[in-house]
Amino acid sequence: MLAYLLTTWLVERRAAVIYPTYEEILRQSDSPVSLRAIIAEETRHLADIEEQLNQRLGGDSSKVTQDLQSQEAKLYQEWLASMSQEHIPEPH
């Protein structure tokens, strides 16, 4: 159960960064599509997961989650860099 909570927490934290950025792009392009309802649901889910983590980890999950978030951020940047390298056309 703890692994699920921690994994879900990481996913929800990443979504909390990506979804609002995507929503802004949609808004600027006058798209009829909106992610506002999804963002609200993800925000509620993140709060629920954080509450469950605090209960499981004795009231203060910040040490564990900070360490995980730091590791995830590093891996995410590495992934972005590798994706950029793979999808940039070679100069002719």
Side-chain angles (χ1 to χ4, degrees), residues 17-39:
V17 173
I18 293 173
Y19 286 168
T21 302
Y22 188 32
E23 173 67 21
E24 181 63 20
I25 292 167
L26 291 170
R27 190 187 61 74
Q28 289 177 359
S29 66
D30 295 323
S31 173
V33 176
S34 175
L35 301 179
R36 285 187 294 261
I38 293 170
I39 291 169

Side-chain angles (χ1 to χ4, degrees), residues 4 35 37-38 41-44 47 53 58 67-68 79 84 87:
Y4 164 78
L35 301 179
I38 293 170
E41 169 58 30
E42 296 297 337
T43 300
R44 287 188 299 273
L53 278 171
D67 289 347
L68 282 174
W79 176 76
S84 296
H87 292 88

Side-chain angles (χ1 to χ4, degrees), residues 41-56:
E41 169 58 30
E42 296 297 337
T43 300
R44 287 188 299 273
H45 191 218
L46 178 58
D48 180 52
I49 293 298
E50 287 176 339
E51 182 180 324
Q52 290 181 55
L53 278 171
N54 282 328
Q55 289 172 359
R56 284 283 252 185

Side-chain angles (χ1 to χ4, degrees), residues 64-83:
V64 172
T65 56
Q66 285 174 358
D67 289 347
L68 282 174
Q69 189 168 11
S70 176
Q71 292 174 29
E72 187 274 344
K74 180 180 179 261
L75 292 169
Y76 182 71
Q77 290 305 315
E78 289 174 7
W79 176 76
L80 284 178
S82 73
M83 293 299 290

